[in-house]
């Protein structure tokens, strides 16, 4: 389609001054503005040159909406040679769904043409010959040429920009979702201390909704009144000095809920200086419940310790003060028995005997109680002790008993452990003594060995005694619990309770394995954490 | 055991003990030892001091050759009496043997720190008590020399 070419001079001038968003309209009357010196044809070349060199795609459209001129950029952009474009309605370059609207706007524009960005706020798309679309930004300016008005459109492909924008939006959205979905409260404030961020967890923690808090001073909302001034001062100080005193580390602070309740929260605060603007952010979680539990636990532990100390004191004092009158009873019964037995008849002597025996038994029980209480009160701090030495001491103390029963004690290599020496001797002595006292038909044979497992030395005292019924395994460690009558085998039932107390005081535990008629093995552990602990140190030994 | 009599009069023993049952047992044990003696009993430290200083309670009481001292007593206990006697110029030369149930190291240390002459633990068993008292009398009345007396 052949069209009259627009006035070249005007077009040249216009192309030279038009850029996207250029504010100045150019109204060129025919010839006005052209250089009088330019020969005809020269201006034409200038115009073409300028048009072709323009960085944007240029499309010139007449009043009827037909394309009259395009540049090489436009050819590239729309992927069509100019021959195919010139003479086409400009709507051919617009996706079909937008054509009607485009035509309407074009007609309206030609009523009142002016320089403007086209379709501000609208998503504009260009259509290529091959049917593909691409997002565009368009600037329009009118061009008077003789008696008709042309429109010059500068078209820019903004696909890359659009992609970057959408990626940015997606990123922002993702970040927002992450913060919103966080279990921890996320709170941000500007440098004046006003709330700028408040996620869903913050709403749940503090009771304020987002709408309530945005723009309000954080101090007024979640900082308890007595601490508000400090909060403000801290903010001010940071603004002035940038000294990160409370930033970047875990803090435990009181906070206040919307309903007035005081909470305890744990938080870290960070400051962000973004393009000269300061803001603060904190991840906060409510530890009120945890703190309450801690306090309750502490109170409980204190009460327990008090109660324990009282109990120890009680046991100690009771057994101490019980000993004096018991001594009197026991001694005078003995004296009565010796010096007045002739005055008593058979029955009287028997009754006196009962009194004497019970008194003596009570004395032994009270002494036993004292022994148990003394495990703590007279316990010494642990030190390196050669277990072989301790066992040797115990065996020596039991010399008479062992000899009388033709008993024999042997042991493997025993280590050095960290323990209270006297108490370790007491444990061995009690166990060996039991092995002899509760012997079977054979002369008592006791063997002691030690092994290391799980960071503790495990001592085992094996005997060939009468054994223990499994259902009594727990009972025998309780105070005063015995499996035999006084007249069968005398005893107080304290020995194992004392042993257990001693072993537990050292952080170990004690148990028994046994078979009736075969023998028993008592094992106890002593944690091997002391610096003096060494592997099996002492020589193996044995003693009758 | 042969006793050697260095003194013209009987051995005077002052027992300071608050429990009469325990005093009775010491009395019995001393008698079993066969040494002629007179036993005086003070029920607490104050009474003992009174006796020693010839106060109204003990105006006629002779000066003891030996004091047997229990530690835990009301009003003025053994520790205080020990300190008072050993601080007294006139009384300090009288040997004091602490005879008490306590076997605590602290009590032993304190007693010697306050110049007790000896510390003995009072046994719970009667026969043991007799043996201990026998040892005590053999040592103090037979083996060692006591401070000379004017009388």
């Amino acid at each position: 389609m052949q069209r009259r070419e627009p006035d070249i001079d005007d077009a040249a001038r216009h192309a030279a001054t038009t850029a996207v968003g250029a504010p100045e309209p150019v109204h060129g009357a025919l010839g006005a503005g052209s250089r009088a010196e330019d020969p005809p044809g020269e201006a034409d070349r200038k115009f073409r040159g300028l048009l072709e060199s323009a960085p944007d795609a240029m499309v010139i459209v007449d009043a009827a909406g037909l394309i009259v001129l395009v540049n090489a950029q436009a050819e590239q952009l729309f992927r069509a040679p100019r021959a195919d474009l010139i003479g086409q309605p400009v709507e051919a370059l617009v996706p079909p769904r937008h054509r009607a609207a485009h035509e309407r706007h074009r007609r309206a524009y030609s009523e009142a043409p002016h320089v403007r960005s086209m379709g501000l706020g609208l998503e504009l798309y260009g259509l290529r010959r091959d049917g593909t679309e691409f997002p565009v930004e368009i600037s329009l300016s009118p061009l008077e040429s003789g008696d008709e008005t042309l429109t010059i459109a500068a078209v820019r492909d903004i696909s890359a920009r659009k992609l970057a924008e959408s990626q940015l939006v997606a990123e922002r959205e993702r970040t927002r979702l992450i913060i919103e979905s966080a279990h921890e409260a996320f709170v941000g404030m500007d440098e004046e201390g006003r709330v700028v961020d408040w996620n869903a967890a913050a709403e749940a923690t503090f009771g304020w909704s987002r709408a309530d808090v945005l723009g309000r001073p954080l101090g007024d909302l979640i900082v308890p009144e007595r601490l508000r001034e400090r909060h403000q001062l801290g903010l001010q100080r940071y603004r002035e000095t940038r000294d990160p005193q409370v930033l970047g580390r875990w803090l435990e602070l009181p906070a206040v809920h919307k309903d007035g309740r005081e909470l305890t929260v744990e938080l870290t605060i960070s400051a962000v200086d973004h393009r000269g603007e300061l803001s603060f952010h904190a991840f906060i979680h409510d530890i009120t419940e945890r703190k309450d539990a801690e306090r309750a636990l502490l109170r409980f532990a204190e009460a327990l310790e008090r109660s324990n100390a009282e109990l120890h004191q009680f046991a100690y004092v009771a057994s101490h003060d019980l000993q004096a009158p018991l001594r009197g009873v026991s001694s005078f019964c003995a004296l009565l028995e010796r010096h007045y037995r002739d005055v008593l008849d058979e029955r009287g002597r028997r009754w006196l005997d009962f009194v004497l025996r019970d008194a003596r038994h009570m004395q032994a029980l009270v002494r036993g109680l004292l022994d148990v209480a003394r495990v703590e009160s007279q316990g010494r701090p642990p030190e390196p002790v050669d277990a072989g030495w301790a066992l040797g001491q115990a065996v020596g103390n039991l010399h008479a008993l062992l000899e009388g029963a033709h008993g024999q004690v042997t042991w493997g290599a025993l280590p050095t452990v960290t323990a209270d020496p006297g108490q370790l001797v007491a444990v061995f002595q009690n166990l060996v003594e039991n092995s002899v006292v509760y012997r079977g038909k054979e002369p008592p044979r006791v063997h002691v060995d030690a092994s290391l497992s799980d960071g503790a030395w495990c001592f085992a005292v094996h005997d060939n005694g009468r054994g223990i019924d499994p259902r009594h395994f727990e009972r025998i460690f309780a105070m005063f619990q015995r499996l035999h009558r006084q007249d069968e085998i005398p005893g107080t039932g304290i020995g194992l309770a004392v042993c257990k107390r001693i072993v537990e005081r050292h952080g170990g535990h004690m148990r028994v394995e046994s078979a009736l008629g075969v023998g028993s093995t008592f094992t106890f552990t002593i944690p091997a954490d002391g610096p003096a602990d060494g592997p099996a140190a002492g020589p193996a030994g044995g003693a009758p | 055991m042969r006793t050697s009599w260095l003194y013209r009069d009987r051995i005077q023993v002052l027992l300071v003990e608050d429990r009469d049952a325990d005093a009775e047992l010491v009395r019995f044990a001393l008698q079993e030892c066969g040494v002629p003696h007179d036993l005086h009993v003070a029920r607490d430290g104050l009474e003992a001091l009174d006796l020693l200083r010839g106060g109204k309670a003990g105006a006629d009481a002779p000066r003891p050759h030996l004091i047997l001292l229990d530690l835990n007593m009301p009003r003025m206990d053994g520790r205080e009496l020990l300190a008072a006697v050993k601080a007294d110029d006139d009384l300090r030369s009288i040997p004091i043997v602490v005879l008490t149930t306590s076997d605590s190291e602290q009590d032993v240390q304190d007693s010697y720190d306050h110049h007790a002459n000896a510390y003995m633990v009072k046994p719970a068993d009667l026969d043991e008590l007799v043996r201990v008292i026998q040892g005590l009398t053999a040592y103090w009345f037979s083996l060692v020399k006591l401070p000379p007396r004017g009388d």
Side-chain angles (χ1 to χ4, degrees):
Chain A
M1 207 191 313
Q2 198 60 20
R3 285 286 304 147
R4 185 174 71 80
E5 292 244 326
D7 184 282
I8 303 297
D9 287 332
D10 290 336
R13 205 177 313 123
H14 193 79
T17 57
T18 301
V20 174
E24 297 272 318
V26 176
H27 291 282
L30 186 63
S34 61
R35 290 158 57 117
E37 318 78 65
D38 291 336
E42 179 63 24
D44 183 42
R45 261 201 322 280
K46 256 195 208 164
F47 166 71
R48 303 242 176 243
L50 278 162
L51 199 63
E52 288 306 314
S53 67
D56 289 326
M58 309 289 265
V59 176
I60 303 180
V61 176
D62 71 12
L66 300 174
I67 299 172
V68 295
L69 206 60
V70 296
N71 69 355
Q73 275 66 260
E75 285 181 309
Q76 267 181 11
L77 195 61
F78 291 98
R79 295 192 194 150
R82 62 188 74 204
D84 289 352
L85 296 172
I86 292 176
Q88 296 291 314
V90 67
E91 271 75 36
L93 300 179
V94 174
R97 63 189 181 279
H98 295 155
R99 278 178 193 159
H102 186 274
E103 202 182 318
R104 269 202 309 278
H105 287 131
R106 181 168 56 69
R107 290 195 193 284
Y109 182 77
S110 45
E111 308 280 316
H114 56 283
V115 176
R116 57 170 284 223
S117 300
M118 191 179 117
L120 266 173
L122 299 177
E123 301 269 295
L124 302 176
Y125 289 89
L127 181 71
R128 294 193 190 98
R129 262 2 221 6
D130 61 11
T132 55
E133 292 180 15
F134 56 97
V136 294
E137 200 173 58
I138 303 178
S139 286
L140 305 173
S141 43
L143 173 65
E144 302 291 333
S145 174
D147 51 1
E148 68 172 332
T149 308
L150 302 172
T151 303
I152 303 183
V155 182
R156 193 176 274 177
D157 178 348
I158 55 169
S159 311
R161 193 175 77 194
K162 279 237 162 266
L163 184 65
E165 262 173 24
S166 73
Q167 273 176 346
L168 194 65
V169 168
E171 265 306 310
R172 244 187 247 138
E173 182 60 18
R174 190 166 157 273
T175 304
R176 193 191 68 82
L177 283 172
I178 290 173
I179 289 180
E180 270 312 297
S181 67
H183 190 61
E184 291 199 328
F186 180 73
V187 172
M189 64 180 185
D190 63 17
E191 61 178 57
E192 299 299 319
R194 291 181 297 239
V195 177
V196 295
D197 291 296
W198 192 265
N199 71 348
E203 292 183 332
T205 302
F206 296 107
W208 299 95
S209 77
R210 192 111 162 265
D212 287 339
V213 303
L214 282 178
R216 289 181 58 186
L218 186 68
D220 292 350
L221 298 162
I222 68 171
V223 177
E225 209 175 308
R226 64 185 187 281
L227 298 170
R228 274 176 203 164
E229 202 180 313
R230 220 171 89 176
H231 164 79
Q232 278 305 118
L233 288 174
L235 200 57
Q236 203 179 314
R237 197 181 42 75
Y238 186 82
R239 280 203 298 266
E240 290 163 11
T241 68
R242 297 298 158 111
D243 176 15
Q245 252 186 25
V246 297
L247 304 184
R249 61 186 172 87
W250 283 106
L251 302 169
E252 232 178 66
L253 292 174
V256 69
H257 190 277
K258 179 177 178 184
D259 62 19
R261 240 179 328 130
E262 187 154 309
L263 314 165
T264 308
V265 296
E266 196 175 57
L267 70 156
T268 56
I269 308 176
S270 53
V272 169
D273 190 330
H274 183 63
R275 303 190 186 181
E277 264 183 42
L278 194 58
S279 62
F280 302 92
H281 301 96
F283 285 95
I284 308 177
H285 55 269
D286 183 352
I287 57 169
T288 311
E289 254 181 52
R290 193 222 297 174
K291 281 267 135 192
D292 284 342
E294 274 175 25
R295 263 193 296 270
L297 202 65
L298 199 67
R299 270 197 307 270
F300 181 72
E302 278 168 5
L304 203 64
E305 210 169 302
R306 258 197 315 271
S307 161
N308 219 29
E310 271 169 22
L311 225 58
H312 271 298
Q313 247 242 320
F314 178 77
Y316 187 85
V317 165
S319 13
H320 217 263
D321 292 338
L322 285 173
Q323 284 195 324
L326 271 176
R327 199 173 49 247
V329 171
S330 165
S331 306
F332 286 109
C333 276
L335 283 171
L336 275 174
E337 216 213 13
R338 258 175 247 181
H339 297 260
Y340 291 92
R341 59 182 312 112
D342 305 328
V343 176
L344 290 169
D345 65 357
E346 169 74 36
R347 194 177 61 168
R349 279 197 289 273
R350 200 170 57 246
W351 287 356
L352 190 57
D353 200 44
F354 284 140
V355 179
L356 190 54
R357 259 197 297 156
D358 273 353
R360 293 225 166 98
H361 186 56
M362 261 192 84
Q363 279 183 313
L365 288 174
V366 167
R367 263 199 305 274
L369 253 182
L370 250 182
D371 285 344
V372 170
R374 276 175 170 171
V375 170
E376 279 307 324
S377 68
Q378 287 195 357
R380 286 203 153 81
E383 57 182 85
V385 184
D386 179 349
W389 166 86
L391 182 55
Q393 291 288 302
V395 169
N397 292 343
L398 295 168
H399 177 79
L401 183 70
L402 281 163
E403 212 177 68
H406 305 289
Q408 204 177 43
V409 183
T410 56
W411 57 93
L414 296 179
T416 296
V417 293
T418 304
D420 174 330
Q423 291 189 343
L424 187 60
V425 172
V427 172
F428 280 131
Q429 193 167 326
N430 261 302
L431 293 177
V432 173
E433 187 175 0
N434 279 350
S435 298
V436 176
V437 168
Y438 297 98
R439 58 182 173 277
K441 298 195 176 56
E442 303 284 313
R445 292 282 173 274
V446 183
H447 181 74
V448 182
D449 54 48
S451 60
L452 184 62
S453 86
D454 262 346
W457 285 106
C458 184
F459 293 91
V461 178
H462 311 271
D463 70 43
N464 62 344
R466 59 180 60 199
I468 305 165
D469 189 325
R471 60 197 165 99
H472 298 315
F473 282 179
E474 295 286 318
R475 259 184 74 199
I476 55 177
F477 291 104
M479 279 202 288
F480 300 140
Q481 289 298 315
R482 299 195 69 236
L483 304 178
H484 300 85
R485 290 203 313 268
Q486 283 299 323
D487 54 319
E488 288 176 319
I489 301 180
T492 57
I494 271 294
L496 285 177
V498 172
C499 288
K500 184 160 175 269
R501 197 52 91 85
I502 290 174
V503 167
E504 283 170 0
R505 181 177 171 254
H506 286 79
H509 38 266
M510 195 160 175
R511 47 187 295 266
V512 62
E513 261 165 36
S514 179
L516 281 168
V518 177
S520 309
T521 297
F522 281 84
T523 55
F524 65 92
T525 61
I526 305 266
D529 52 10
D533 287 2
Chain B
M1 173 154 340
R2 219 178 67 92
T3 46
S4 93
W5 297 111
L6 303 173
Y7 308 102
R8 281 191 284 272
D9 50 343
R10 295 154 66 80
I11 306 274
Q12 301 302 308
V13 180
L14 172 62
L15 171 66
V16 190
E17 164 66 64
D18 64 321
R19 292 193 71 240
D20 47 9
D22 282 331
E24 178 72 15
L25 289 171
V26 171
R27 183 185 298 281
F28 172 77
L30 276 170
Q31 278 165 359
E32 295 287 289
C33 296
V35 176
H37 68 278
D38 289 318
L39 179 67
H40 306 270
V41 180
R43 307 299 297 278
D44 60 43
L46 275 180
E47 224 180 88
L49 264 183
D50 215 40
L51 262 170
L52 287 166
R53 287 176 176 156
K56 65 175 186 336
D60 303 320
R63 185 188 170 88
H65 291 89
L66 181 71
I67 299 178
L68 298 177
L69 181 59
D70 185 22
L71 283 182
N72 295 313
M73 298 180 290
R75 251 189 349 156
M76 184 202 228
D77 77 0
R79 298 164 191 88
E80 293 170 49
L81 180 65
L82 185 57
V85 169
K86 291 303 179 180
D88 186 313
D89 285 341
D90 184 43
L91 301 172
R92 72 153 66 100
S93 62
I94 305 177
I96 299 186
V97 173
V98 172
L99 183 64
T100 185
T101 49
S102 167
D103 63 352
S104 95
E105 276 185 14
Q106 192 61 50
D107 282 336
V108 176
Q109 185 64 49
D110 283 347
S111 300
Y112 282 110
D113 277 343
H114 286 89
H115 313 292
N117 295 73
Y119 190 106
M120 298 183 86
V121 176
K122 193 171 9 176
D125 180 77
L126 178 66
D127 294 326
E128 273 298 311
L129 179 66
V130 171
R131 261 193 291 279
V132 161
I133 297 291
Q134 258 172 357
L136 186 142
T137 53
Y139 182 82
W140 286 102
F141 300 159
S142 182
L143 209 55
V144 311
K145 279 181 131 58
L146 290 170
R149 292 150 68 87
D151 36 35

